[in-house]
Amino acid sequence: MSQKVQMQNNKYKPESMISLEDVTIRYGKYEAVRNIYFDIPKDRVTALIGPSGCGKSTVLRAINRMNDLINGCSITGRIVFNGVDLYAKEVDPVEVRRKIGMVFQQPNPFPKSIYENIAFGARINGFTGDMDELVESSLRSAAVWDECKDKLKESGCSLSGGQQQRLCIARTIAIEPEVILMDEPCSALDPISTLKIEETIHELKKHFTIVIVTHNMQQALRVSDMTAFFNAEQLDNGSGGKVGYLVEFNKTDMIFNSPTEKATKDYVSGKFG
Amino acid sequence: MNQLYYRPLSARSIANKSLTLFALILTIASTLPLAFILAYVIIKGGNNLNFSIFTTLPEPPGDDLSAGGIGNAVLGTFIVTGIAALIAIPIGIGGGVYLAEYSKRGPFCKFIRFGTNVLSCVPSIIAGVFVYGAIVSTRVISGSTFSAIAGGISLSILMIPSVIKTTDEGLKLVSDDLRKGALGVGASKFATIVQITLPSALKPIATGIILGISRAAGETAPLIFTALFSFYWSQGSQSLLEPIASLSVLIYNFALEPYEAQNELALTAALILIAIILGINIMTKIINRLIN
Ligand SMILES: Nc1ncnc2c1ncn2[C@@H]1O[C@H](COP(=O)(O)OP(=O)(O)O)[C@@H](O)[C@H]1O
Ligand SMILES: [Mg+2]
């Protein structure tokens, strides 16, 4: 039996899309996360879990250079995407974000029509095809087409929270990125909307690589193939500050069923966090 | 008698009532000037009001009974204020966008904000004297002296601070989530500002612009030093380089004349000017409703 599992594990070796190599991120002098290594596989869902404040969002934002917007945030180490170091001098962060889209914790539709919400990103990315078709297919992929098809001209802000979030997913899909980052996309939503978004994620991973931060372990278990467990440890310099680090990275069922680290086991069984 | 009952003659009740009355009297007193001004202007200026004053020119003071019309002054007020808006809107919005979106909130940014506040308190006559010294007396604009353009520039100095301030404040109210959302779908900073942030702040910006315009439209002092006055119609683009009439300067000139007819025309002009400014303020409300 264990032999068989082993064999399956070996067979399952997806190509890596993004590699984090010894990544350390600081806010000013304060070190938020330290020495992170892991590989995000292509066309799979990777979940980042861990207690709050351990740096999950920080790591996620580093992947599409959103941290550039925060004054004083700096990074060392390498994040390699399709063989390119994202923090190399020649790299344009705007281009990075076109390949690596992001969905935020709070749904943030633009105060424009539903149609324009989708069209905006596509247009600035130089999309020249049939916009009506793109709007429909993006809304369909994000599973909000049925709710939106009769009111494409209405403001995106008139939708419910769950619909807004799926609209935000749709507008990210519309720019045809290779990777979609999601930072706790369901934390502001009700359970039914949450389930819908999880179904959407299952559909999306056929075409996109997805990285999702979640504080909900059941959600990580339901949607993800790989899981990275982060934790924070007290700094030993007596400042009382904490630094986040990656405890364990493995296939999701391994993390939840047979973690190698004790901290992981305690966390997934609900002993802390 | 029950202690909980209201006693109208207790010291507390009487003090309460008399203070309420006192406040009411003060409130009425504070709006009286406005009511008197409106009544005075309407009664004195209204009887002269007819369509022909919009189509005729004012006549230089003399002993004939008619002072003519205010047609060129109405037109001039719109032209000079329009020039001021054309200068102040791009500069003001640009400055506000810089402060809110680009500056790193350092000392330079603080200096500009402080400067803007100071500029908004500068007495308008100083803007007039400044433009007189810098533009009128030096004849830098194709050799012209007093001109519509010089007048527009001096009014724009008064408008710019209010446009900068409302743009800056309006942009600061736009949620950062929106900016992140736009950047997250690969928008450049410029595209984000032009297509997402500025449109979201349109309402306060439009309000600021219109209030700036309505302030400028009523200004007199800067125009006396820059646009002067004219008894003729402005015709063709060349006339922008010549002195131009405006309602406020017409009021100033004619109200001081020793002739009855001119004084009456000044009051009619005052009525029109008040109506224009009131109209601009009502426009703010309409525009705000349209934006929603
Ligand atoms: N913009 C910021 N400026 C300064 N410190 C920050 C900022 N964002 C996060 N931090 C700090 O970095 C650490 C990790 O935060 P975060 O990545 O948000 O954690 P998580 O998403 O796991 O809850 C926290 O200690 C937090 O205080
Ligand atoms: Mg977070």
Side-chain angles (χ1 to χ4, degrees):
Chain A
M1 163 74 197
S2 81
Q3 188 78 40
K4 202 173 152 209
V5 170
Q6 201 64 47
M7 273 187 55
Q8 275 177 350
N9 283 354
N10 287 342
K11 211 168 69 188
Y12 172 73
K13 200 123 208 258
E15 181 190 342
S16 136
M17 185 89 176
I18 297 173
S19 315
L20 285 82
E21 298 170 3
D22 197 15
V23 170
T24 297
I25 304 170
R26 293 181 185 79
Y27 293 106
K29 285 211 169 95
Y30 166 70
E31 223 171 66
V33 292
R34 178 187 285 175
N35 307 118
I36 309 286
Y37 282 92
F38 67 100
D39 283 348
I40 296 166
K42 189 170 181 344
D43 293 347
R44 295 281 185 279
V45 179
T46 302
L48 313 186
I49 63 170
S52 84
C54 65
K56 307 179 294 292
S57 302
T58 302
V59 170
L60 193 74
R61 286 197 300 262
I63 298 175
N64 74 339
R65 297 199 51 174
M66 257 342 203
N67 281 337
D68 290 17
L69 309 177
I70 300 171
N71 264 338
C73 186
S74 63
I75 182 169
T76 56
R78 281 159 40 99
I79 299 183
V80 181
F81 169 68
N82 284 342
V84 179
D85 178 2
L86 291 180
Y87 286 84
K89 258 203 221 76
E90 313 79 57
V91 171
D92 177 357
V94 172
E95 294 299 332
V96 171
R97 294 180 202 126
R98 290 178 179 184
K99 292 275 184 294
I100 308 179
M102 189 160 200
V103 175
F104 300 84
Q105 186 165 357
Q106 285 294 330
N108 55 353
F110 305 130
K112 297 170 176 277
S113 69
I114 292 172
Y115 186 96
E116 277 301 314
N117 259 278
I118 311 280
F120 171 73
R123 213 177 282 130
I124 55 174
N125 279 282
F127 179 79
T128 49
D130 183 343
M131 191 62 84
D132 293 356
E133 204 175 293
L134 179 75
V135 169
E136 175 170 348
S137 68
S138 308
L139 288 170
R140 272 189 200 283
S141 313
V144 273
W145 172 248
D146 290 333
E147 288 133 295
C148 291
K149 63 171 185 266
D150 297 324
K151 43 180 183 179
L152 293 175
K153 292 272 167 297
E154 280 174 41
S155 166
C157 305
S158 67
L159 298 169
S160 77
Q163 292 167 341
Q164 285 185 8
Q165 193 63 301
R166 278 175 287 145
L167 176 62
C168 292
I169 293 176
R171 98 187 160 192
T172 309
I173 296 170
I175 63 170
E176 292 171 345
E178 291 177 42
V179 183
I180 300 179
L181 309 176
M182 302 184 177
D183 193 351
E184 305 199 22
C186 303
S187 68
L189 306 181
D190 60 278
I192 295 182
S193 303
T194 302
L195 277 183
K196 285 198 173 150
I197 292 199
E198 288 179 9
E199 281 165 20
T200 309
I201 292 173
H202 273 294
E203 281 303 307
L204 291 180
K205 75 172 184 184
K206 293 174 186 159
H207 309 284
F208 301 98
T209 303
I210 295 174
V211 186
I212 179 171
V213 170
T214 174
H215 60 241
N216 179 336
M217 281 175 283
Q218 295 311 312
Q219 184 170 63
L221 201 50
R222 284 192 298 262
V223 302
S224 72
D225 304 294
M226 303 295 289
T227 295
F229 170 60
F230 287 81
N231 201 357
E233 66 184 2
Q234 211 70 36
L235 283 174
D236 42 12
N237 60 10
S239 65
K242 283 182 166 184
V243 58
Y245 65 103
L246 179 65
V247 179
E248 195 169 349
F249 178 67
N250 209 334
K251 289 201 312 223
T252 298
D253 56 351
M254 298 293 280
I255 291 281
F256 282 87
N257 297 325
S258 48
T260 47
E261 298 289 324
K262 181 163 180 309
T264 316
K265 194 169 172 180
D266 288 349
Y267 185 75
V268 297
S269 60
K271 286 205 180 116
F272 77 101
Chain B
M1 201 163 89
N2 192 318
Q3 275 200 325
L4 291 175
Y5 285 177
Y6 176 63
R7 280 167 294 145
L9 293 180
S10 73
R12 187 166 50 78
S13 304
I14 290 173
N16 191 14
K17 271 188 197 134
S18 43
L19 275 179
T20 309
L21 188 70
F22 189 56
L24 185 69
I25 291 170
L26 289 184
T27 311
I28 291 173
S30 71
T31 49
L32 269 187
L34 177 66
F36 279 142
I37 289 173
L38 281 179
Y40 181 75
V41 169
I42 288 172
I43 292 167
K44 290 277 198 168
N47 56 4
N48 228 357
L49 200 59
N50 56 46
F51 185 71
S52 70
I53 60 164
F54 292 104
T55 57
T56 49
L57 293 171
E59 278 166 28
D63 45 13
D64 51 347
L65 289 173
S66 164
I70 56 172
N72 66 341
V74 174
L75 184 67
T77 290
F78 280 108
I79 290 175
V80 175
T81 315
I83 293 171
L86 283 183
I87 299 170
I89 291 172
I91 295 180
I93 291 184
V97 166
Y98 173 78
L99 285 180
E101 302 280 341
Y102 285 95
S103 71
K104 293 268 189 292
R105 318 214 177 281
F108 180 66
C109 169
K110 279 201 189 116
F111 170 74
I112 301 273
R113 280 214 176 90
F114 177 72
T116 309
N117 282 335
V118 172
L119 192 59
S120 70
C121 307
V122 162
S124 59
I125 194 166
I126 293 185
V129 172
F130 165 70
V131 172
Y132 177 81
I135 290 172
V136 176
S137 65
T138 57
R139 296 173 174 249
V140 284
I141 303 181
S142 344
S144 66
T145 55
F146 295 100
S147 70
I149 291 182
I153 293 174
S154 71
L155 293 187
S156 75
I157 294 176
L158 303 175
M159 281 181 68
I160 287 172
S162 92
V163 181
I164 291 186
K165 237 159 105 177
T166 45
T167 305
D168 184 15
E169 305 284 330
L171 288 175
K172 274 196 252 164
L173 289 182
V174 175
S175 155
D176 251 355
D177 285 349
L178 272 188
R179 295 189 182 89
K180 283 191 225 153
L183 295 169
V185 293
S188 62
K189 188 157 188 175
F190 182 75
T192 304
I193 292 171
V194 172
Q195 298 187 43
I196 303 290
T197 351
L198 268 180
S200 309
L202 200 58
K203 208 166 146 174
I205 294 174
T207 309
I209 289 173
I210 291 178
L211 290 181
I213 288 177
S214 80
R215 179 188 173 191
E219 280 295 349
T220 317
L223 294 183
I224 294 175
F225 286 92
T226 53
L228 213 60
F229 192 70
S230 152
F231 284 93
Y232 309 103
W233 290 104
S234 306
Q235 273 164 336
S237 57
Q238 191 56 32
S239 67
L240 296 181
L241 296 174
E242 290 158 8
I244 192 170
S246 58
L247 283 170
S248 50
V249 176
L250 183 140
I251 296 167
Y252 172 77
N253 286 344
F254 279 25
L256 297 178
E257 293 294 342
Y259 300 96
E260 188 74 12
Q262 267 75 22
N263 295 356
E264 270 174 18
L265 190 67
L267 283 164
T268 310
L271 181 62
I272 304 296
L273 186 55
I274 290 179
I276 289 174
I277 291 173
L278 198 68
I280 294 175
N281 278 288
I282 291 172
M283 224 164 71
T284 343
K285 299 247 165 3
I286 295 173
I287 287 181
N288 277 345
R289 207 157 295 158
L290 285 184
I291 291 173
N292 275 352

